[in-house]
Every structure is written in structure tokens, then in C-alpha cells.
Amino acid sequence: MARITLRQLLDCAAERSYGVPAFNVNNMEQALAIMEAARSVNAPVIIQASRGARAYAGDIMFAKMMEALEAMYPEIPLCVHQDHGERVSTCLSAIQNGFTSVMMDGSLKEDGKTPGSYDYNVGITSEVTRLAHMVGASVEGELGCLGSLETGHGEAEDGHGFEGKLDRSSLLTDPDEALRFVQATKVDALAVAIGTSHGAYKFTRKPTSDVLAMDVIEKIHAKLPNTHIVMHGSSSVPEEYRNLFNENGGEMRETYGVPVEEIVRGIRFGVRKVNIDTDLRLAATAEFRRVANRNKSEFDPRKFLKPAMDAMGKVCRDRFEAFGCAGQAALIKVKPMSEMARLYASGALDPHIEKKAAA
Ligand code: G3H
Ligand code: 13P
Ligand code: ZN
């Protein structure tokens, strides 16, 4: 059995000091590219679906696709995660469809645009945690709003992100509040705001510490050394693929993502889950453009999709290696959700807050 909960996977990652990329998936080609890459380096996998991805593929298709991956890659621990759940019912229906983990993103209200208050966030996240843990599923919460420290804006490029402008303090997770939030909600993993944002346009120059606040991760880790930290908006937007995209008729202005070395630094300070969507989108569509441009008579979709899968697979392998999770799959003995439910009920998985940090 290869389906693993986020909590168990990240506990293993923390024990051996590595991070795990969480790749967003909408279709078979992305899923196969990720799994083939994982098999080639023996890495565990987190596949995540946004609400948009679930709507695009359909819940039945998505669930059957995950079953197929389990059957095809039985040696690879596979965590299936709901990305940015906006309400309790989204999280519960994900679990009904075989997801082993959900994100309740209470940093924004149900509309996905309006920042939620701390109390709103604690209330809704605790509710999801209480229910999910009963059946052994894991929960990721988010504290702080993702957005650019360069401009103060969130981005609605993929339909998720606050509208308008926020001050710097709302764009950075407060470490003391993080401690209280984890204690109150019992989340298994905490997504933090440090200046990253979704999509291709994160930074106008290679990010320095004023716009990519890795020091905030260090401070949160000092308060919560046993909590798994999640970095959203962590695509690196490789120049190689931006150039390929532009050389073949695409239009993507100069932009910078999160450098892989900064993520690796985060992993030293408790980052265990690293969300990546844009990089696979860009690698795939740059290849579509290259094929279309070089062979204008080509109309077999496989001739576009195969090179796209190869490019996505290369990105995945690079991240598995860089984050230290290559070679780790075989070391994980997957616990079923029923066992995780028993552990939650016994209190064994409650957040372990060090007394000195809480004081
Ligand atoms: O939440 C961010 C991901 O990039 C998902 O994007 O809603 O377009 O699938 P999406
Ligand atoms: P990117 O847009 O940087 O790939 O981020 C994806 C993400 O955080 C999904 O939750
Ligand atoms: Zn995200």
C-alpha cells in the first residue's frame, strides 16, 4: 500500500532532515511525469489538487487516476493532498475521494479574496482538524497572506489571493501568533507568508532578504521546532524555460522565482513541504510552443505531450535531488489512515510545543 498521509510523510522528512516537493496536478501527463521522476530517484511524492484541478479533471477521474498511480508505482509512498481548501465541505469531500491530507486555508475567507481574521482562521481550521483527524487524514493550515513584499499586492493570477494591497506585517507570518495558532488548531503542517506568491511573477529581480523573508522561517522554527513548515509559491521560474517559451512566440516578461538554494536553506529550518505548480506549467507549455513552432504541420497531441512530460520530469528530478528526498522512498513504511486515526485519538500526534518557546 503506497498511499501515505502528509503527517507521516513529513514526520519521516523531519527525522531525516529533508523536504518534499508538493506538485500540483490537473491531468494524467503531469501525474505520470512526477511519478516516473520519483521512481527514477526513489523519492516519496506529494500530489496536490486545487479546487480548480478537481473541477477540471472531475472528482471521479482524479480519484481513479490516483488509484492507477498507486497500482503502477506501488513502491512510491504517495500523499494525495487538497490544495487551498476554502471551506470545511471542500476538505471533507476531498477525504471522501481518497485524499489523505487537506489544506484548510483560513487565511482568506470562502471567496478566496478577503483576508480572514485570526479568530476566523482558528475556528475554521480547528473544525477541519477535528474532523479530518478522526479518520486519520492530515491538515495543513495557513497563517498570514501570501503576497509580494515588493508591491504589497496579492495575485489573483490563478484565482486565489487577496485583492488590493496589504501592509508588510500582514504579508509576514508572526512567529508568536504561529505558536498560538498551532497550539489552538493542532494542524500537522503550517503554511507561512514570507513574501512568496503564486504564479510566474513573484519578484522583479533575484530576491534578496528584504523581499524573500527567509529569516521569518528561522524565527518560526525557533518557536515551533517540531512543526512542519510549508512554503507556498515556491516555483523557481527557471530562466531556461522562460527563454524557450519566449523564443517560440510566448510573452513572459522578465521575472524571478524562489531560488532553489533559498528553499534548501529553508529545509534546514523546518520547511518540509514545498509547493510547486508554475514550474511544471511553464516547462510543459514551453515545450508545446517549441514543438508547434518547429513543426507547424504537427497535429498529433502526443508529439506535444511527450516532450512536455520529459521537461516536467526533469524539473521534478531536480527538485527531488535538491530537497534531499531522493533515495528516501524505500525507507518509509506506510501507516494506514486507520492507524493514524488511532494515534490522533490517543493524543500521540498533538503538537509538541517546547515549554521554553511557549513561555
Ligand atoms: O493555488 C495555487 C495553485 O497554483 C493552483 O492553481 O487554482 O489554477 O489550479 P489553480
Ligand atoms: P507556484 O505558483 O509558485 O508554483 O506555487 C504553487 C502553490 O503554492 C500551490 O499552492
Ligand atoms: Zn499555494
Side-chain angles (χ1 to χ4, degrees):
M1 203 197 78
R3 209 170 293 204
I4 191 169
T5 62
L6 185 70
R7 176 58 185 269
Q8 194 203 344
L9 179 50
L10 300 191
D11 282 352
C12 292
E15 222 167 84
R16 300 181 64 83
S17 306
Y18 61 92
V20 188
F23 295 114
N24 285 74
V25 160
N26 299 273
N27 62 23
M28 179 188 82
E29 284 75 14
Q30 290 171 311
L32 288 176
I34 294 162
M35 295 307 285
E36 277 301 314
R39 171 172 279 168
S40 73
V41 297
N42 193 241
V45 166
I46 303 171
I47 279 185
Q48 55 188 7
S50 64
R51 281 173 286 136
R54 283 176 63 187
Y56 175 80
D59 273 342
I60 296 176
M61 179 59 79
F62 193 84
K64 296 288 175 197
M65 213 155 64
M66 295 303 110
E67 276 175 32
L69 297 183
E70 242 182 321
M72 290 170 71
Y73 303 90
E75 80 284 15
I76 303 295
L78 170 64
C79 170
V80 183
H81 176 81
Q82 167 76 54
D83 192 24
H84 292 286
E86 88 294 20
R87 65 186 81 203
V88 179
S89 59
T90 302
C91 297
L92 295 187
S93 66
I95 295 170
Q96 281 177 315
N97 279 288
F99 287 55
T100 55
S101 176
V102 295
M103 175 185 194
M104 178 61 235
D105 181 358
S107 71
L108 299 174
K109 291 204 177 146
E110 278 184 10
D111 63 4
K113 294 181 170 57
T114 315
S117 68
Y118 175 82
D119 289 342
Y120 168 81
N121 197 352
V122 167
I124 196 159
T125 307
S126 307
E127 176 68 351
V128 170
T129 305
R130 188 178 69 78
L131 297 168
H133 286 178
M134 276 187 209
V135 292
S138 319
V139 180
E140 172 186 336
E142 174 165 326
L143 187 64
C145 287
L146 293 190
S148 163
L149 293 171
E150 282 185 83
T151 64
H153 286 285
E155 46 50 70
E157 185 182 335
D158 55 16
H160 187 97
F162 66 87
E163 280 176 345
K165 215 170 159 159
L166 287 178
D167 59 29
R168 195 175 166 91
S169 70
S170 312
L171 294 169
L172 292 172
T173 303
D174 176 72
D176 290 309
E177 205 168 69
L179 179 72
R180 292 203 302 280
F181 184 80
V182 170
Q183 266 176 320
T185 59
K186 300 192 178 183
V187 287
D188 299 288
L190 180 69
V192 295
I194 56 165
T196 64
S197 54
H198 294 136
Y201 300 106
K202 301 180 194 304
F203 305 106
T204 57
R205 54 181 164 84
K206 189 167 185 239
T208 41
S209 56
D210 51 330
V211 292
L212 176 60
M214 298 305 294
D215 60 311
V216 169
I217 288 196
E218 294 184 26
K219 288 179 189 142
I220 295 170
H221 184 57
K223 295 268 174 197
L224 286 163
N226 303 304
T227 295
H228 306 309
I229 298 175
V230 183
M231 277 175 71
H232 280 247
S234 290
S235 278
S236 302
V237 198
E239 197 180 355
E240 173 197 352
Y241 288 116
R242 191 168 65 84
N243 288 343
L244 187 64
F245 185 83
N246 286 339
E247 281 157 17
N248 290 286
E251 288 181 10
M252 182 175 283
R253 64 175 192 266
E254 188 177 358
T255 179
Y256 294 82
V258 182
V260 170
E261 63 271 18
E262 294 293 345
I263 299 171
V264 170
R265 176 176 157 204
I267 291 170
R268 288 204 293 275
F269 293 96
V271 171
R272 300 288 163 234
K273 175 174 181 276
V274 182
N275 283 15
I276 297 173
D277 185 356
T278 297
D279 281 353
L280 298 197
R281 293 182 184 198
L282 177 58
T285 51
E287 285 296 332
F288 294 165
R289 286 192 172 279
R290 188 180 61 79
V291 174
N293 199 23
R294 300 231 172 124
N295 188 353
K296 295 199 178 353
S297 62
E298 187 56 70
F299 64 91
D300 179 347
R302 293 170 298 185
K303 297 283 174 22
F304 295 79
L305 291 165
K306 187 66 182 63
M309 287 167 75
D310 293 343
M312 289 189 283
K314 183 176 176 310
V315 174
C316 295
R317 267 193 311 281
D318 285 355
R319 300 298 180 273
F320 286 134
E321 304 270 12
F323 301 167
C325 65
Q328 301 290 342
L331 304 175
I332 299 171
K333 193 171 169 308
V334 175
K335 290 181 187 148
M337 294 222 336
S338 53
E339 166 75 357
M340 296 302 287
R342 202 186 54 71
L343 290 169
Y344 283 119
S346 72
L349 298 178
D350 279 355
H352 175 67
I353 308 279
E354 306 218 330
K355 286 206 177 65
K356 97 174 139 38

